[in-house]
Amino acid sequence: KDIHLENLENPERTYMLHLCLAAAAWTSELANDPRVLVTGATGRTGSALYLQLKADSRIAEVRALVRNVTKARELLGCKACDESEGVFVGDVTKPETLTAASTGIDTVAIAAAVGERFRDASETLPR
């Protein structure tokens, strides 16, 4: 899939993707063969970012942290959608699921959204 940032209908999302891609480019300047993990890789922003990073020749490896393999197969184009393809099943709220995905990573692009289960806590978070 070919994603063009200009074609995304939400300007805030486009801006965020530009920031993430800039961070990835910065990482590529700091590290030889940089490796990036995208959390929330099956979301709207996360999947677009993942595909852009996969297409970037400066990035040696792009991994995806997903909660749903079926959705990953549909959005990310993976076949096995497992660790052999850099797709890891996990949840950012469960640290024990993050170790394998994050081992050896230079940069984490956080595109995971805060969901319904955090509604009450979000009132106390700074905005």
Side-chain angles (χ1 to χ4, degrees):
K1 295 179 183 176
D2 193 19
I3 303 290
H4 296 282
L5 297 178
E6 308 80 47
N7 295 339
L8 295 175
E9 53 283 339
N10 185 327
E12 289 178 9
R13 218 178 288 272
T14 302
Y15 178 72
M16 187 171 113
L17 282 170
H18 279 289
L19 287 177
C20 290
L21 290 170
W26 178 70
T27 298
S28 71
E29 296 297 319
L30 295 177
N32 291 328
D33 302 323
R35 294 177 290 202
V36 180
L37 170 65
V38 178
T39 68
T42 57
R44 186 180 188 127
T45 301
S47 60
L49 177 60
Y50 174 85
L51 293 171
Q52 285 288 322
L53 291 172
K54 288 290 277 185
D56 190 330
S57 63
R58 297 171 296 177
I59 309 299
E61 181 182 0
V62 181
R63 295 181 189 171
L65 184 70
V66 304
R67 291 187 299 159
N68 184 315
V69 172
T70 303
K71 197 172 176 183
R73 190 170 286 115
E74 177 185 318
L75 295 170
L76 306 180
C78 52
K79 297 208 185 321
C81 295
D82 61 14
E83 294 182 21
S84 70
E85 291 182 298
V87 177
F88 294 79
V89 176
D91 187 322
V92 295
T93 66
K94 298 177 181 170
E96 67 276 9
T97 68
L98 305 176
T99 303
S102 61
T103 300
I105 291 297
D106 300 304
T107 300
V108 177
I110 302 170
V114 174
E116 190 71 28
R117 62 189 145 160
F118 296 106
R119 182 178 294 257
D120 294 335
S122 67
E123 295 175 7
T124 62
L125 297 174
R127 298 196 184 266

